[in-house]
Amino acid sequence: MRPLRAAAIASMLWLLSLTSAGQPPIVPSRTELTPGVFLFTTPGYGDVGLDGNSIAVLSRDGVLVFDTNGTPRASAAVLAEIRKLTPQPVRWIVNSHWHWDHWYGTETYQQAFPDVRIVSHEKNRQLMMGPALEFNRPGLEKGLPGYLETLEKRAAADASLKPLLAEDRFFLEQKTRVRHTFPNVTFSDRLTIEMGERHIEVLNYGRGVTPGDAIVYLPAEKLLLVGDLIVNPITFALSGFPTEWLRVLERIDALDTTTIVTGHGAPLRDKALLRTTMEVFRVLLREGKAAKERGLTPDQAKDAIMPGLRDLMLQLTGDDEAKNGAFRTQLVDWYLHRVYDELNGPLTDAIAAIPPA
Ligand SMILES: [Zn+2]
């Protein structure tokens, strides 16, 4: 075949592979964590969203998927990869918590496997069915469309921004059209799943990053999937439950594991990042309480406490500027606001707003 013709056919095939909105297919990257258990990571959504990790546990009698990505397009890409690995159906889904990037892709699995059992903590299901959707609404109706308008203007002057604009637009369209697919099995403390040769424990250790986090533990494989209870490298402490969360992490630390998969980022092969994050929590609980007693506001407390956290920060960030910024805002600032909320009275299960920057 002449090279020119081959190129023409290749580009035609690429065009045919485009989705209706003109976006090329996502290719997830795949890591085998232990024989037959795979982590899939998908690229971010333009410059407007990160996707959560999705993990497939294969067995001789079906597949369990832990977290289902943030859009149907991403979960469809992960399911396509699972189908290359096994002819077995997806029998179980576990959604770790209510953040959209961990469950908005569930419809893909329910369409493909109508009998699939979708598991979450009972409090998490309640949040998904109302409060989580309300929490996302301002972003979908105002924040993201407003950002797209400014990006459109910039792209009109700078054509190199057009692919990014198309990606961001497609993300908004996907998120707006998603068919929210809710858990149909709930648990409170523990649910045990025997799937083929796999013994799988779905656990909740109390309130952590959300009121109803689900973790999955495979004791024989020494593998633990923790969702956003820990994020590699910087944990995202919005609306968490400071004291209880530390207790949860202490119980996680006590489990016999060789691999811990966080809600985002590369899997952990040791407990260093877990323990450093726990130490940051301890400092913030202790110093936050002392700062409040001295009459400081949460923002003043942050400025007073940050210098003492520098060594711990560098362990997590390697002094990368963007990661330092995430440490300061998403971990220290947001966690401290919740330390203050907790000291002001018992925390309810309601979703707290993002503290003003
Ligand atoms: Zn997340």
Side-chain angles (χ1 to χ4, degrees):
M1 192 185 287
R2 286 180 333 208
L4 207 74
R5 187 132 181 271
I9 288 172
S11 80
M12 194 181 76
L13 286 174
W14 183 78
L15 276 172
L16 284 173
S17 74
L18 292 181
T19 58
S20 57
Q23 289 300 299
I26 294 173
V27 182
S29 75
R30 184 180 90 192
T31 307
E32 189 162 22
L33 299 162
T34 184
V37 182
F38 296 88
L39 163 64
F40 297 100
T41 55
T42 40
Y45 299 106
D47 61 346
V48 288
L50 287 177
D51 207 7
N53 283 334
S54 181
I55 298 96
V57 180
L58 276 48
S59 81
R60 59 168 180 259
D61 187 26
V63 177
L64 177 145
V65 174
F66 181 84
D67 281 351
T68 49
N69 302 100
T71 60
R73 176 191 179 211
S75 57
V78 170
L79 176 56
E81 294 297 311
I82 293 171
R83 289 197 196 272
K84 291 180 195 165
L85 296 167
T86 176
Q88 290 288 335
V90 175
R91 295 197 193 282
W92 295 91
I93 284 169
V94 178
N95 288 127
S96 60
H97 66 295
W98 61 262
H99 298 169
W100 63 270
D101 49 319
H102 300 265
W103 69 282
Y104 271 26
T106 300
E107 68 175 72
T108 297
Y109 293 99
Q110 203 182 42
Q111 276 162 19
F113 310 101
D115 296 332
V116 67
R117 279 156 290 181
I118 306 162
V119 179
S120 83
H121 190 269
E122 57 197 6
K123 286 184 179 178
N124 187 57
R125 180 173 185 273
Q126 268 174 10
L127 289 168
M128 284 173 164
M129 294 188 74
L133 305 178
E134 288 307 311
F135 181 83
N136 290 330
R137 192 182 302 277
L140 279 183
E141 291 180 354
K142 287 222 296 265
L144 195 47
Y147 177 72
L148 282 174
E149 263 176 46
T150 65
L151 189 58
E152 270 160 30
K153 287 191 190 120
R154 284 163 55 210
D158 178 358
S160 71
L161 290 172
K162 291 216 157 92
L164 178 66
L165 176 62
E167 177 73 25
D168 287 2
R169 271 196 190 129
F170 184 66
F171 172 64
L172 176 61
E173 184 195 312
Q174 282 263 295
K175 238 178 130 180
T176 308
R177 289 201 331 215
V178 76
R179 199 161 56 76
H180 299 113
T181 304
F182 302 109
N184 52 24
V185 177
T186 62
F187 75 104
S188 51
D189 298 329
R190 167 188 293 262
L191 174 76
T192 301
I193 298 173
E194 307 295 347
M195 181 181 73
E197 69 277 34
R198 305 279 189 190
H199 172 81
I200 301 167
E201 295 177 10
V202 186
L203 304 167
N204 173 268
Y205 284 159
R207 299 193 296 180
V209 64
T210 74
D213 306 300
I215 65 176
V216 158
Y217 183 42
L218 280 71
E221 293 83 352
K222 301 190 187 217
L223 174 72
L224 183 65
L225 316 176
V226 297
D228 282 357
L229 281 166
I230 288 283
V231 171
N232 182 8
I234 306 297
T235 296
F236 189 83
L238 173 72
S239 195
F241 297 81
T243 302
E244 293 158 84
W245 192 351
L246 178 60
R247 297 285 103 77
V248 170
L249 295 186
E250 284 166 353
R251 291 183 70 180
I252 282 174
D253 190 14
L255 291 172
D256 184 14
T257 58
T258 51
T259 303
I260 299 177
V261 184
T262 57
H264 302 263
L268 309 178
R269 300 297 187 175
D270 60 42
K271 290 177 173 170
L273 185 135
L274 167 67
R275 288 174 180 161
T276 304
T277 304
M278 287 163 66
E279 197 49 36
V280 174
F281 282 17
R282 288 193 189 99
V283 170
L284 292 174
L285 281 166
R286 187 177 66 232
E287 305 283 323
K289 183 165 187 282
K292 187 167 185 293
E293 280 163 6
R294 295 207 309 275
L296 303 187
T297 66
D299 289 328
Q300 290 167 333
K302 177 178 63 186
D303 291 340
I305 296 167
M306 273 301 290
L309 285 171
R310 186 167 169 80
D311 286 351
L312 291 169
M313 178 179 84
L314 296 183
Q315 285 174 40
L316 296 174
T317 68
D319 209 16
D320 174 276
E321 203 180 320
K323 290 177 189 169
N324 286 350
F327 178 88
R328 184 181 166 85
T329 303
Q330 293 166 14
L331 180 47
V332 175
D333 186 67
W334 294 355
Y335 192 91
L336 263 180
H337 275 87
R338 294 295 278 173
V339 169
Y340 272 58
D341 289 348
E342 188 174 69
L343 290 166
N344 283 330
L347 294 173
T348 72
D349 289 341
I351 300 170
I354 297 174

